[in-house]
Amino acid sequence: MPDITREEVAHLADLARIDLSDAELDHLAPQLAVILDSIASISEVAAEDVPPTSHPLPLTNVFREDVHRPGLTAEQALSGAPAVEEQRFAVPRILGEEG
Amino acid sequence: MTATTTDPVLSFDEAMARFDPVLGLEVHVELNTVSKMFCGCSTVFGAPPNTQTCPVCLGLPGSMPVVNGKAVEAAIRIGLALNCSIAEWCRFARKNYFYPDMPKNFQTSQYDEPIAYDGWTEVDVDGTTYRIDIERAHMEEDTGKSLHVGGATGRIHGADHSLVDYNRAGIPLIEIVTKPVEGTGAQAPQVARAYVAHLRDLLLGLGVSDVRMEQGSLRCDVNLSLRESPSAPFGTRSETKNVNSLRSVERAVRYETGRQAARLAAGERVVQETRHWHEDTGITTPGRSKEEAEDYRYFPEPDLVPIAPDRAWVEQLKAGLPEPPRERRARLQQEWGFSDLEMRDTVGAGALGLVEETIAAGASPAAARKWWLSEMARRANEQGVELTALAVTPADVARVQALVDEGKVNDKLARQVFDGVLAGEGTPDEVVEKRGLAVVSDEGALSAAVDRAIEANPDVAQKIRDGKVAAAGALIGAVMKEMRGQADAGRVRELILEKLA
Ligand SMILES: [Zn+2]
């Protein structure tokens, strides 16, 4: 049975930039364990003779011509931005990270 | 933590006396495709912010990427030029991280199946050849550009918030990673620089990138570690990010060597971390501690099917590769009759292609080298740009030299012609015309000026009559001054000697 510790959930939350309280960690860790457990049952179905599959279709080399296609205007692109400044997406500062 | 933080640093010589450096270089090169890696957005540099985006490169729900075939071709050609094996079958992978420069919250990259792997190349430093083994070259996409506002330095420390432009997000990027580079000793800084310069030449020759370091289309991360001796296991490395000029690559290796040596000499450990390079002060400061590969939770990209380059296609691309840079340099040196030193200076200045094109446009090798390595190098230096970024073409340089050879301008006037060309006043001929720069070829005017100079300097004139021809320089100077430089000094000299014979 796969297990996920409270510390692992806290680490994943940190990587995902989600601020979880102690109570939320206590609540979520066992839930995630159940999800992992369910997924693990797939491994039991897939025997040794079934290779890991990332792409169900037997396709390779699907390429696009290198041509320019018009996209969005700046107004359209920024319409979903949390805030806009100088025609750019304005986001909160990130602490302790590179720029 | 600010850019002014200074770590203790051991002198480079002292560091080299006690430790052996090991380099690792990661170079990111933006391809010069018309469209982005996974969508049809334009890749033109310098467009107004957020005018080159679409649902795919903004990571909007429901959008689906499609691979740019031209970028795959460029990746394979780069791999082949670096003597790499080309994967029979490979996939893209999602590199998951949460940072605002990546709107999708993952970067589409390649993980354990790079398109090109296990290659090598060679670079020359002061007559010694170093073999650089290539670990891999893989395909990925560039990130958006963040502007940090509110902080004192414009960098992220102390910034109030960030403004993001996604024009660059999704531009095809090839990451070229070396294996650990050992055995360079005290030449490590020069080897690092020579390698990046070599890659730049190679990529330019392939025509796959603009390789403009000042515009960020070629960027280098420098990994460095020290160990007690060449037989000792590798030490802990630091990774200095975004070192974006050839000179800075050399300086960053030098600085990190001194910083790490000081720590080790003091009995401290080197911390494995990414570090920021500060162009102004020439030092590095700590960035975030490096995430482990597993923290990126790579997994195969489900929205892009695998790539399996047809072997016949790979062979065809291989057959079409241009002459490799080292062979090309050797051939050109032979053709031009340059000494080793002249050739090294030309290559070091990034002027090889420019000199080649100038010669092709009609200039002699010596003249082409002279203009690019003195006059143009000085101006590029003043502007803080690479030679190729100057607003003067090899054809312009060849034309100016032709004007000199024809006696229409002298060297001094030629410099003014370049002033005009660089200021956007037109072709060399147009500048000569508009600025009235042609030398005075009116023999009567010249002769009169020479007469006046002789009259004004009777002592000098007498010396020349007495056979001291070297004294003519003073009279030539006087005539050139009167003609405001617009005379052929050789002709002036002839006239003086005729009149005083
Ligand atoms: Zn797009």
Side-chain angles (χ1 to χ4, degrees):
Chain A
M1 156 148 177
D3 210 5
I4 184 158
T5 65
R6 199 174 173 283
E7 286 67 38
E8 284 169 327
V9 176
H11 179 59
L12 286 170
D14 191 44
L15 289 173
R17 307 290 182 262
I18 301 172
D19 193 14
L20 293 182
S21 66
D22 282 350
E24 285 168 320
L25 284 174
D26 289 335
H27 180 64
L28 287 172
Q31 288 193 0
L32 283 170
V34 171
I35 293 170
L36 282 179
D37 203 24
S38 308
I39 303 268
S41 61
I42 295 171
S43 312
E44 289 162 28
V45 179
E48 296 279 312
D49 59 331
V50 181
T53 304
S54 62
H55 297 78
L57 299 173
L59 276 176
T60 56
N61 300 335
V62 176
F63 299 148
R64 180 175 57 77
E65 287 286 308
D66 180 30
V67 289
H68 170 233
R69 283 178 54 184
L72 301 172
T73 64
E75 291 68 34
Q76 289 170 326
L78 291 160
S79 61
V84 178
E85 203 176 309
E86 296 176 33
Q87 206 170 302
R88 292 170 171 91
F89 292 77
V91 296
R93 66 172 176 172
I94 310 293
L95 279 170
E97 302 239 349
E98 64 190 320
Chain B
M1 194 69 63
T2 72
T4 53
T5 305
T6 46
D7 290 287
V9 174
L10 222 56
S11 82
F12 186 74
D13 289 344
E14 203 177 334
M16 283 302 111
R18 298 186 54 171
F19 301 102
D20 180 52
V22 178
L23 287 167
L25 297 156
E26 293 175 21
V27 169
H28 287 89
V29 57
E30 265 184 10
L31 299 179
N32 58 1
T33 49
V34 171
S35 62
K36 291 186 180 180
M37 188 76 201
F38 305 112
C39 61
C41 288
S42 168
T43 59
V44 173
F45 180 81
N50 295 303
T51 53
Q52 295 173 168
T53 69
C54 74
V56 173
C57 56
L58 285 181
L60 299 185
S63 61
M64 289 291 270
V66 188
V67 175
N68 184 336
K70 188 84 183 167
V72 176
E73 179 184 296
I76 294 173
R77 292 179 69 230
I78 291 169
L80 290 171
L82 291 168
N83 302 295
C84 288
S85 302
I86 304 301
E88 300 266 351
W89 189 88
C90 64
R91 289 175 294 190
F92 283 98
R94 290 190 181 182
K95 180 182 183 179
N96 298 279
Y97 69 97
F98 294 78
Y99 194 73
D101 65 8
M102 223 350 132
K104 298 187 293 189
N105 284 342
F106 62 87
Q107 181 186 32
T108 307
S109 181
Q110 293 194 286
Y111 181 44
D112 49 356
E113 298 164 2
I115 190 153
Y117 57 95
D118 281 350
W120 57 270
T121 193
E122 286 177 328
V123 301
D124 296 312
V125 173
D126 293 343
T128 306
T129 301
Y130 293 93
R131 179 183 155 115
I132 311 284
D133 286 319
I134 305 295
E135 169 90 25
R136 57 191 280 155
H138 73 248
M139 298 179 284
E140 58 183 36
E141 58 180 332
D142 213 342
T143 61
K145 246 185 144 156
S146 304
L147 196 70
H148 306 298
V149 292
T153 60
R155 290 197 75 101
I156 198 155
H157 300 298
D160 285 323
H161 58 288
S162 304
L163 303 179
V164 195
D165 168 13
Y166 292 118
N167 283 350
R168 204 180 65 178
I171 289 186
L173 211 56
I174 306 296
E175 179 176 336
I176 302 165
V177 184
T178 67
K179 290 184 178 162
V181 181
E182 304 175 61
T184 61
Q187 282 195 314
Q190 293 98 311
V191 170
R193 178 189 178 132
Y195 168 72
V196 178
H198 170 76
L199 270 192
R200 188 186 62 177
D201 289 349
L202 182 133
L203 294 163
L204 204 58
L206 288 169
V208 293
S209 170
D210 302 336
V211 287
R212 292 261 169 98
M213 291 191 88
E214 77 279 7
Q215 290 184 359
S217 58
L218 184 74
R219 313 196 284 271
C220 184
D221 299 341
V222 176
N223 287 276
L224 184 95
S225 64
L226 299 180
R227 55 185 173 181
E228 300 253 316
S229 77
S231 56
F234 292 153
T236 305
R237 69 190 161 87
S238 66
E239 180 179 8
T240 304
K241 292 288 217 184
N242 290 327
V243 189
N244 292 338
S245 74
L246 293 179
R247 184 168 159 262
S248 296
V249 169
E250 189 172 335
R251 288 167 77 207
V253 172
R254 204 170 276 276
Y255 176 82
E256 268 301 291
T257 300
R259 185 189 67 83
Q260 292 188 16
R263 288 191 71 91
L264 294 171
E268 294 171 57
R269 285 172 51 246
V270 171
V271 180
Q272 179 165 344
E273 62 188 353
T274 57
R275 297 185 66 87
H276 297 305
W277 169 248
H278 299 276
E279 185 70 45
D280 48 353
T281 46
I283 67 166
T284 66
T285 56
R288 63 177 169 186
S289 53
K290 194 148 174 61
E291 269 145 339
E292 299 294 326
E294 63 177 33
D295 285 345
Y296 289 121
R297 290 152 291 144
Y298 283 98
F299 63 86
E301 167 59 63
D303 291 343
L304 295 166
V305 301
I307 293 174
D310 180 61
R311 291 300 102 178
W313 184 37
V314 173
E315 280 310 310
Q316 186 194 333
L317 292 175
K318 193 172 191 170
L321 287 181
E323 183 182 24
R326 284 180 87 232
E327 279 82 338
R328 174 163 167 258
R329 283 198 293 274
R331 174 178 60 80
L332 292 175
Q333 182 175 0
Q334 174 86 16
E335 284 175 18
W336 298 345
F338 282 8
S339 69
D340 287 350
L341 185 64
E342 288 168 343
M343 198 63 188
R344 201 180 299 159
D345 288 347
T346 306
V347 172
L352 195 68
L354 295 166
V355 168
E356 186 183 23
E357 289 172 47
T358 307
I359 294 167
S364 71
R369 183 173 57 80
K370 181 191 83 173
W371 287 120
W372 285 110
L373 266 63
S374 57
E375 197 62 19
M376 298 306 136
R378 182 176 64 74
R379 290 160 191 265
N381 202 30
E382 281 167 9
Q383 294 180 24
V385 298
E386 307 272 329
L387 276 176
T388 47
L390 282 178
V392 58
T393 66
D396 291 335
V397 174
R399 181 58 195 150
V400 171
Q401 181 57 39
L403 290 170
V404 172
D405 293 340
E406 290 163 14
K408 293 218 174 80
V409 298
N410 54 28
D411 272 18
K412 185 174 168 231
L413 290 173
R415 289 190 194 98
Q416 296 180 39
V417 177
F418 283 125
D419 288 339
V421 173
L422 286 164
E425 293 168 22
T427 65
D429 289 283
E430 286 165 0
V431 173
V432 167
E433 176 73 28
K434 284 184 202 160
R435 291 197 174 194
L437 291 178
V439 295
V440 174
S441 51
D442 176 347
E443 282 283 318
L446 262 190
S447 180
V450 169
D451 288 341
R452 281 193 291 279
I454 290 171
E455 209 179 302
N457 300 280
D459 298 353
V460 181
Q462 192 53 48
K463 278 187 194 163
I464 300 170
R465 284 197 193 91
D466 294 344
K468 286 185 181 152
V469 179
L475 291 186
I476 296 170
V479 174
M480 293 303 281
K481 194 174 170 192
E482 186 181 333
M483 307 300 288
R484 299 203 318 280
Q486 287 172 252
D488 176 354
R491 181 65 194 136
V492 172
R493 182 186 161 85
E494 281 172 20
L495 281 173
I496 291 168
L497 296 182
E498 275 169 30
K499 288 173 190 284
L500 298 175

